[in-house]
Amino acid sequence: MITVLLSLLSVLNSKFLQRLICLHGKLICSIKCIDGLFVVVLLGHLTLHRHRQRAGKEGQVLHRSKRGWVWNQFFVIEEYTGPDPVLVGRLHSDVDSGIGNIKYILSGEGAGTIFVIDDKTGNIHATKTLDREEQAQYTLTAQAVDRDTNKPLEPPSEFIVKVQDINDNPPEFLHGPYYARVPEMSNVGTSVMQVTATDADDPTYGNSARLVYSILQGQPYFSVEPQTGIIRTALPNMDREARQEYDVVIQAKDMGGHMGGLSGTTEVKITLTDVNDNPPKFPQSVYSMSVSEDKVPGEEVGRLKAKDPDLGDNGMVNYRLVDGDGLAMFELRTDSETREAVIKLKKPVDFETKRSYTLKVEGSNPHIDPQYLAWGPYKDEATIKISVEDADEPPVFVDPSYTFEVEENAPEGTLVGRVHAKDTDVANNPVRYMIPLYTDIEQFFSINAEDGKITTTRPLDREAQPWHNISVSATEIGHHQDTKVRVNIKVKDVNDNSPEFATNNEVLMCETVVPGKVIETVSAVDKDEMAHRQHFTFSLAPEVTHNHNFSLKDNRDSTASIYVLRKGFSRLTQDVYYLPIEINDNGFPAMSSTNTLTIRVCSCDSRNTILSCNVEPYVLPAGLSTGALIAILACIVILLAIVVLFVALRRQKKEPLIVFEEEDIRENIITYDDEGGGEEDTEAFDIATLQNPDGANGFLPRKDIKPELQYPMRPGAGRPAANSVDVDDFIKTRIAEADSDPTAPPYDSIQIYGYEGRGSLAGSLSSLESVTTESDLDYDYLQSWGPRFKKLADLYGTKDCFINDGDDGEDS
């Protein structure tokens, strides 16, 4: 049997001990007070295990198995700040004889750091301050082993150490501050909103987490339910127009609100929403306005507005005219932005006729809350008195506009019409008239300033301008106000324009035209107005009446047809004919004119399709087919390709026509711009082009042709003797040979070079004078001439050269 001693602090009350003792039902225990500590001795309890044997055996055998370790829960109070580690409990095994041969081992959550055990006595201590809100319990494993062999004496078993809660966390409103709305004029007890606080302490133990709500600020307007936190109205008829917002402070206190509990607060901003509980009211019962008689309909006379302290639709006011003698003269509109009633002039007023008007205006709420209907009526009335003011009005024309007619070409001073204006004021002042210059820039008309008669200043042309739109201004004498009126003057037509061809196009006629064929139908136009029965007549001019080529037939519909009288027209003989035609209208007075019709003879095909109308038939068809254009472009591209190829071939270096058996090293002489040996030594030359080893045999082989005959060299045509070699003589000799040699190339390949003079301090570099030496040439001395001759020294120093003796045909 294992006995467990749990030592608790004396601050624990008896209820906690009783609760601790009865945690696991049938528990045999005793309570003792030793040195101020309540020591609970747990003697353990027995657990019966019943085992039923099923495999066909009858009879039950009850076995009572002894549990070596029986554990209850250990408790340690949180936030303990004493000087010594707090004793959590003591482990003791029945096999422990007290001689120290038993070793107690503790493992699990916090073992060794938070909880330590005396391996000899089994006492468990908490070395750190624990916070239940961080971790409410710890699961540990205890085991008794032999101290010497570390063999388990009893099986390991788990037990729980619970952290006992204390009231160390105040209530908190996690969602504050709060905002709420409640209608104004609400009944007492109307729910506004509910606030909720939370407490991190253990709600299952004591009163640490039992909260009670109270109101600290906001009385006597609002109250809060202590248990639920519901805020309600506490006063009736709270008026938004008097006060709209309230700041309420709610407190939550734990420990059931008792003294010593912790508390937390939050703010609640409560706004009263508007209801339609106020009728509209005009600030004045009578309004005075005035309007001048010169105002035009639509102009504003005045404004008024009914006051309504409600908001939105509740404060909206509709206006209407309900009575008065000015209903026909004035109208009422509502300004959508300012919500004012706007009085406007509906018809012009006349000071001389009526000098004052009265209107009655009603303002009412369109949206009425039936709940507050008894507080009405929700409308108000006001009276408007409007006085008419006298104004100096400009003259008024009798007619709003005038329209007159005058014939064109009428002489200067012809009367067009008369305008009339009068002064409507009581004074009835005289009126003066004028035509503003900007309406009659060319000044076709003038007006009598006193009687308003309009006359012409020169004859008018209807064809140039059929209408004249001018303005006439009327002004009272001694006043600056004027009135303008529109005057439209129509210019009546007179038959003063001769008819003419409608079109002036040439007539194209084929050479093969047959007699009697209509080649053209002509028509006429006239700038004058065409009357309903007016038409044109056509006839040939007297001078061509008896011509043998063409005739004319009047179709009596203002058109005429042109006929051909003969055949055999030839454009080579005459390609153009001119036919004068006389055109008459039947106006009054009648007008006529002679117009010439041009007829051009053209060449046509068998289908009478015109090919050419010129004397020389060289004109090709106007257009080319797509195939012809493609063929032309292809030819152009081919020609361009040939030209490019030819130019490319010309740029390539031509292969020499003379075949040399081996490369002559002297062709690779590199010319340097070094200082020469004097005036005679100014240019270099390549003697290789003048010499050919094969030339000594009497003929030069060619690549382009093979000579049929080979001519031996003329006597004396050999090279000059080595002793008397001279470049001038050498070149002249080669030129003579080339001129007389039929086997020479067909082109002039002679290259003329200046030769090296005799005045150079460096001596001659030419191999032509090397014939004076009978031994092999030695070019080693070139190595001592400096870096400028290094290339030449390397070139000639690597190959032995031999001097031509005049017999073997080889040159050096």
Side-chain angles (χ1 to χ4, degrees), residues 588-610:
F588 182 80
M591 301 292 292
S592 65
S593 65
T594 300
N595 297 264
T596 301
L597 182 66
T598 302
I599 303 174
R600 185 174 296 276
V601 181
C602 302
S603 174
C604 303
D605 57 11
S606 59
R607 298 182 180 179
N608 291 330
T609 301
I610 295 176

Side-chain angles (χ1 to χ4, degrees), residues 195-299:
V195 295
T196 303
T198 59
D199 195 319
D201 293 325
D202 188 359
T204 63
Y205 173 72
N207 296 325
S208 297
R210 189 163 69 89
L211 305 181
V212 174
Y213 299 93
S214 62
I215 183 168
L216 300 182
Q217 178 181 317
Q219 304 95 338
Y221 307 102
F222 301 95
S223 63
V224 63
E225 294 183 357
Q227 305 301 326
T228 62
I230 297 176
I231 303 174
R232 300 182 183 274
T233 58
L235 284 181
N237 301 329
M238 285 192 293
D239 192 2
R240 184 200 65 82
E241 289 72 31
R243 182 178 178 182
Q244 184 174 357
E245 293 184 351
Y246 297 85
D247 293 326
V248 179
V249 178
I250 302 297
Q251 180 190 64
K253 191 172 184 181
D254 59 12
M255 299 299 292
H258 291 74
M259 183 177 297
L262 303 179
S263 64
T265 60
T266 187
E267 294 183 1
V268 182
K269 186 178 289 295
I270 301 176
T271 302
L272 298 183
T273 59
D274 183 64
V275 298
N276 191 7
D277 57 340
N278 294 281
K281 182 70 176 178
F282 286 104
Q284 303 173 215
S285 59
V286 179
Y287 291 84
S288 297
M289 301 179 183
S290 61
V291 59
S292 178
E293 64 175 343
D294 59 351
K295 297 297 182 181
V296 297
E299 291 198 28

